[in-house]
Amino acid sequence: MVWTGKARWQLCGWDTSTSRPVYLQRSQSSEVCAVPNAVHPCCMCCIRYLQFRFAQFFISPLISAGGVEREVNAVDSEHGKNIAVDAWRFHQLNKATANQDHPYARFFTGNAETLMTTPTKNGIDVRAAVADWHAKYYSANLMTAAVYGKHTLDELQQLAVGCFSPVATQDLKAPEFPANVYGDKHLGILTRVVPVKESHTLDIQWDIPPTEPHYRKAPTNYLSHLLGHEGSGSAFALLKARGLVTSLSAGEGGGLSSRGFFGVRVELTEEGNQRVGEVAEVIFKYLDLLRQPGAISEQIYTELTGLQELRFNWRDKLPPYSVTTSLAGAMAHYPDRDLLLAMYHVPQEFDPACIKEYLDHLTPHRARLTWATRAHDQQQQQQNGTTTPITKPAALDNLPPCDLTSEPIYGTKYNVTPIPEPWMKHWTNGVAVPGLHLPSANPFVPDDLSMKAVMGDKEGLPDLLVQGSAARVWQRTDLRFESPKATIVLDFQSPAAYASPESAVCCRLLVKLLADYLNEVAYPAELAGLSYSISNHLAGFQVSCQGYSQKLPVLLDLILDDLANFRVKADRFAVVAEAVAREYANVAYQQPYQWAMYRAELLLNYKRWMIDQYQKVITQLTPESLTAQMPRLMQRMFVEGLMIGNVSPEEASDIVDSAINKLKAGWGSSTIWPGEEKDLRIVKLPAGVTSALVEAGPNPNNENSAVWVTYQVGPDDLRRNALAGLLVQLAKRDAFNQLRTQQQLGYIVHMYGSSDQGVQGISFLIQSDKFSAAHLALRVEVFVRDTIKRIASLPESEFSAGVSELSKAKLEKPKRLSELASRWWAEIAAGTRVFDRQSAEVEVLKTLTPADLATFTHEVMGVSSGTRRKLMVLIKGK
């Protein structure tokens, strides 16, 4: 169930202590009550009681002083986590450079200073203010509710009416905001920003009239479809060919009741960072192209509508949480008759005049450009004489260095000026840019959505279709989701792929270059509901494709042909190698908890190269280096794969044969030698001691500390897996309640069952901007010791409830083909191949006793057991 209001709101203090199985998740605009299957899903009385408790949050919330304080601390912890995240910093900067008299300009999330400290100093009782806000603005006529369940519509309606009828209505009007988010002085500006990460980006934003009244015509869908296109003739294809950008996206996002925002975002190369005016010029010239007669094309609109309808008709089943959240939000904006189509952005009426109206707003004079690069700061430092002169010219794109100021909340350095006049003249001179044109018809749109015949059990397990020295592939024609889609995974394993840091970086460059070469021809396939990924790993690289089965082999053939005929193009190598180098550099700017997990991987993987090694290698590699490495990488190969969904065994066999033959023809690939098989191992931690790594985080400006703690359970074993899963099931809520809610250690607090190469563990992850890593580690250990005591005296009823809840969670059927494919591929990748793991572990669960769990918990986590294998990674903040 989701209950939402048109205005953003938050409340504190709903007491759930007597209805533990109900989870309440708070977002910026909605509340979610999820009733797990373990709580007697067929018992209407039970569900009615739980939903009644949930409804009380809106009818008579406690809004206790302690609850308000805890919520403020949680918000402040989240804010502390986001301080070093560029997306949050840029969002706040956009507000700081808007009309400061408009509500939009206010601080978005809040922190302890704005929510508690300052109001208290000014004599404001925060708890009373929250209660007053609730009394003034909570009104049933501004709220919507979505209920999702297995019961009949009549039963669900009766439930909703009975629970939520007492919510008071004040017949309030929905909040309305003025349209002057930006005044004239806030348009036609260039904001130069210094990001945290090593990146160069350009964002172009316009404010536009709200599109909600025109949802059937979807005017910005048409514009974003063309402006964000990546195929032949697109702005992106031209900029990419010039070596100026690596990505481009366009679309509408955010907005208020009175104004919407439409934007284009591009990631720049080093060369593009020197020619930002030229990058923007191509985008504005493409917009000029859309203003030409015939550019607002009914044919293109019809194809776009068809693609959206195809996606809507064959949309994968979503989790109830996602369905209810989307529905409750959409109900506040769209009439019932169009609710689903509007929610999933399916255009229904072609209106050229409406599209033109919005296109007319997308002009250079109304644009707001945000240019982010750390070079801006280097320029200022060079100008002030505080650094060694940089190698690049100080005048980026012929602009002089700028004086920077700091945004007060996040400390983002920036400078705002009018868009340079020479740029504006180029953008508005009326001269077309050669090479830009509208896209042709999409060749990947499927016209055959028929289903294959299924042999045997509808929900069976995959069969080993191919087993030999060259390949091992599992296949299943699986139509349990009644969809004409398939998933294909081909894993190419080479003993040379990870032999050295140089080999690993070359493999990374290969997959990135392949994706780069494919982009222009494969982009239409993505529009038509196909998707693909090419990634490298510790044993080679992987190609995976998903989507409508009729056209999937066509896409896969494109990928395999490019792989078989791969040649290093020097110009694209320079661009991709630069992007990979930036990718490596930005690992240091991840959240500290992510760095802790990365450092743990280095410690636990038997063979793992380090990021600083990659950084050294990438600066030394040349096109010739990669060309020389390719024959070694492709010389001997083993293919492991999985093909499921609307694909027959014959089709799957043909795909495997085609892949092997293409590699042989292109590279002379042969089978691997005995002993060269994939061999990924995890280090066995020493028993009876605690292993620890303590270090400062790589980003000296990040104030957050983090700790990752794991207790090794051991290699895959159904019984031990079941015990570990049950322990986590019984303890994770207490971990969250004690470590996050009560002790307020941080916003990120998790206890979870971990698995790496088939080796199981019980892990904790905490990040905090208020406590040291050592303190976080201590609190985890104290919690673990308390948990051991609690499990040792666990009542039979609580044990049985945990077994029942975990069993039902494990037996929950996958909702989508991709979910099933991920589950089965995880078994193949880890070498465990227990495809019926969920049911097998449930059978083991049924045999366990409280004594078994107590013994296991002491053995794995008890400090006095002598068998505990514990690893801690402590990352110290600023």
Side-chain angles (χ1 to χ4, degrees), residues 617-668:
V617 167
I618 194 68
T619 62
Q620 301 166 359
L621 288 179
T622 64
E624 292 74 24
S625 305
L626 181 56
T627 299
Q629 174 66 13
M630 283 302 300
R632 292 191 286 270
L633 176 65
M634 306 299 292
Q635 181 182 11
R636 293 192 301 281
M637 194 74 68
F638 182 77
V639 180
E640 196 163 33
L642 172 68
M643 302 186 204
I644 65 170
N646 196 39
V647 56
S648 68
E650 295 76 20
E651 290 170 327
S653 294
D654 290 344
I655 289 171
V656 176
D657 291 341
S658 175
I660 294 172
N661 291 334
K662 287 178 187 292
L663 293 184
K664 286 181 178 179
W667 295 102

Side-chain angles (χ1 to χ4, degrees), residues 820-840:
L820 181 64
S822 296
R823 179 182 292 184
W824 285 350
W825 180 254
E827 296 290 340
I828 295 171
T832 48
R833 304 169 197 165
V834 185
F835 297 115
D836 61 345
R837 174 176 302 280
Q838 287 68 33
S839 58

Side-chain angles (χ1 to χ4, degrees), residues 742-802:
Q742 296 183 22
Q743 299 178 31
Q744 299 273 294
L745 295 184
Y747 184 75
I748 297 175
V749 176
H750 294 294
M751 177 187 184
Y752 61 99
S754 56
S755 179
D756 194 355
Q757 309 299 341
V759 175
Q760 310 300 312
I762 298 172
S763 301
F764 294 82
L765 183 66
I766 306 178
Q767 179 171 300
S768 175
D769 63 338
K770 295 180 175 61
F771 297 99
S772 69
H775 180 78
L776 301 179
L778 174 62
R779 299 320 305 169
V780 169
E781 179 62 26
V782 171
F783 173 78
V784 165
R785 295 187 184 188
D786 290 343
T787 298
I788 293 172
K789 294 177 183 177
R790 187 172 77 84
I791 296 298
S793 58
L794 192 70
E796 178 72 36
S797 58
E798 191 171 347
F799 176 86
S800 298

